[in-house]
Structures are given as C-alpha cells and as structure tokens.
Amino acid sequence: MLQRKPSLVNRAFWNFLGASILTTVAAQLAVSTDAAIVSHLMGPHAMAAVNMAMPVLTTFLSLNSLLGVGASLLAAKAIGSRDSEEASRVFTAALYSVLAVGVVVTVASYACCEQISRIVCADDEIRPMVLSYLRVTSLGVTVLVLSGMMNMMVQSDGRPRLVTCAVIVGAVTNVVLDIVFIKMLGLGIAGSAWATVINYGVTVCITSSHLRRKSCSYRIVRFTKQVWHTLGANLKQGLPLMIANVLLSVIVLLINKMVDGVLGSDGVYMVAVCIQLL
C-alpha cells in the first residue's frame, strides 16, 4: 500500500504555488509593460485603441477556460490515479478541440473584424487602430488558446516551473518585439498585436517540449468514442469559468462605451491606465 509522505507533499505544494504565483506576476508585468511601451511609442490614442479591443481579446482567451481548465482538472485527477490512458484521452480531446475551435473562431472573427471594431469602438479617430489590432489578433486565436491549454496541462503534469519559464521568456520576447515592430519597422498598432501573438507562440514552443520527456503523462491517442465523452466532460468543467470571463469582457466593453461617450478617447486612455495599475 502506498504511503503518503507529508514532507514531500508539502514541498510539492509550495513548489507548485511558488511557480504559479511567478507565472501570474510575469504575465501581468508583460501586459503592463506592453501597454506602457505602446503608449510611449505611439501615444495615448494607441493605448486607448488596445483597451477598446481588450473585450475581444479576453473573449478569445476565455476559450482557454472552456477548453483548458476542465481538461487540466480531469488530467490531474487521472495522473493522481495513475491512469495514463485517461490522462492521454483528456489531453487528446483538449488538443483537438483547441485546434478545431481556434480555426473556426479565426475564420469567423477575421471575416467580421470590421463589424466587430464598430461594436467595440464608436470613436472614428481610433477605430482604424482597433481594426488593425483585431485583424492580427484574430489570426492568432489558435495560438492564444493553445498556449493557455498547454500551460494548464503541463502544470497539471507536475512541471509548473517550465510554465513559469515559458511565460517569462514569452513576456521578454513581447517587449523586445514591441520595440522592433513599432519603433524600428514602423508597423504601428499591428506590430504590437504581432508581438503579442508571437509571445504566445514562444510560450507554446517551450511548454510543448514537455511532451518529448519520458516522464510526460500525455500521449496523443486515436479519436475514439471515449475521447468524445472525455471532451464533453472537459467542456462541462470549463463552461462556468468561461461564462464568467465572457461577462467580464462585457463589463469592460460597457465601461469603455460609457467613458468614450462622455470623455472620448482620452477618457478611455485614462481607464486603460487605471486597469493596468489594478
């Protein structure tokens, strides 16, 4: 009979917690630094445009909650039970669903970018920048969602430090590319969007290295009826959190609209600064 050692459990818990906190801090610092660089290089209107596009970006990222959170919970349970087959089914269901949903959302959102930009931004002065930002972001939906899913799955498989490393490297890449794309290449707000997408791509490349390790609990298996059932369980677990994130996106959208209607783009810029500080 297996005996639990409290000291090992305690050490694993603090390692996991410490890595999780570092990951969150690194990700938030990357976002805030990115916003500061955009504002410095392109002015307040550019930061206001990014904030206008933020509800769309957070809606895209809410797919991580739907497709990744539930899968990571079920995978952790399977790994704890030493059921490698179930863990592989959970991973396979999550991976295929992310790729399928990512492609569908990319096609739909890119085709409707202009209409979406009119919904989130009524200011004719900054709408072109919002549209440019959304077009690039739409192309990167699959990478954005895949990054979140891989972070959660790798963390559930006992390697939170790898996720922290991936997030930090991605954040540094984002900052450097912001300067290169905006200042040196003159790509404007689209350059900032490309830097963000590439940031998530770098994160995916680093976390995917976990799949090559012999200790990895995940293997890609054939898409059978069991995998379909697993996909349903994944979605059931992640749906409540996705709904919460979508509602948060709606709140940000409404705040932007109210502030823009009263104070214009300068007001939206001030709100963006406050959001970054919070």
Side-chain angles (χ1 to χ4, degrees):
M1 188 177 197
L2 292 174
Q3 297 292 326
R4 288 190 176 90
K5 294 184 178 181
S7 60
L8 294 178
V9 174
N10 186 56
R11 185 170 62 186
F13 169 76
W14 285 110
N15 285 339
F16 189 90
L17 180 63
S20 299
I21 292 173
L22 284 174
T23 300
T24 303
V25 171
Q28 183 53 50
L29 283 175
V31 172
S32 299
T33 306
D34 188 32
I37 291 174
V38 170
S39 176
H40 177 71
L41 295 179
M42 297 187 63
H45 284 181
M47 189 169 177
V50 172
N51 200 59
M52 286 286 196
M54 194 57 61
V56 182
L57 180 60
T58 52
T59 299
F60 291 157
L61 292 174
S62 71
L63 294 171
N64 292 334
S65 303
L66 177 65
L67 304 173
V69 171
S72 65
L73 294 174
L74 293 174
K77 181 180 178 181
I79 293 168
S81 303
R82 299 192 176 185
D83 188 346
S84 59
E85 292 184 2
E86 177 61 18
S88 294
R89 283 195 293 268
V90 171
F91 176 76
T92 299
L95 178 62
Y96 286 167
S97 61
V98 164
L99 296 177
V101 171
V103 171
V104 171
V105 174
T106 293
V107 173
S109 59
Y110 189 82
C112 301
C113 265
E114 190 165 348
Q115 293 87 335
I116 295 173
S117 67
R118 291 185 180 278
I119 293 173
V120 299
C121 180
D123 193 318
D124 293 335
E125 186 177 5
I126 63 174
R127 189 185 301 126
M129 286 190 287
V130 175
L131 179 58
S132 296
Y133 192 89
L134 289 179
R135 279 178 173 159
V136 176
T137 305
S138 296
L139 293 174
V141 170
T142 303
V143 177
L144 267 63
V145 182
L146 183 60
S147 173
M149 187 274 286
M150 286 300 301
N151 287 353
M152 296 175 202
M153 297 300 285
V154 171
Q155 188 161 289
S156 295
D157 201 19
R159 298 197 69 196
R161 291 184 179 180
L162 178 62
V163 176
T164 301
C165 176
V167 172
I168 291 174
V169 173
V172 172
T173 301
N174 191 5
V175 171
V176 172
L177 291 182
D178 268 336
I179 297 173
V180 172
F181 289 163
I182 297 175
K183 187 174 183 178
M184 298 181 180
L185 299 182
L187 297 180
I189 198 74
S192 174
W194 278 118
T196 300
V197 172
I198 294 173
N199 162 21
Y200 285 104
V202 169
T203 303
V204 170
C205 291
I206 295 175
T207 53
S208 296
S209 66
H210 175 68
L211 301 177
R212 296 194 295 269
R213 290 172 62 96
K214 291 183 179 180
S215 60
C216 179
S217 303
Y218 310 127
R219 298 291 181 270
I220 299 176
V221 298
R222 194 163 55 89
F223 211 97
T224 61
K225 185 180 293 186
Q226 287 179 307
V227 176
W228 273 111
H229 291 318
T230 301
L231 175 58
N234 290 358
L235 299 179
K236 184 178 179 181
Q237 291 282 343
L239 184 60
L241 186 56
M242 179 189 177
I243 293 174
N245 288 333
V246 170
L247 290 176
L248 181 61
S249 300
V250 172
I251 291 172
V252 174
L253 173 63
L254 294 176
I255 291 174
N256 283 341
K257 282 187 169 295
M258 286 188 292
V259 173
D260 185 40
V262 177
L263 300 175
S265 59
D266 289 338
V268 176
Y269 167 70
M270 289 186 285
V271 169
V273 172
C274 291
I275 289 177
Q276 295 306 322
L277 292 174
L278 289 173

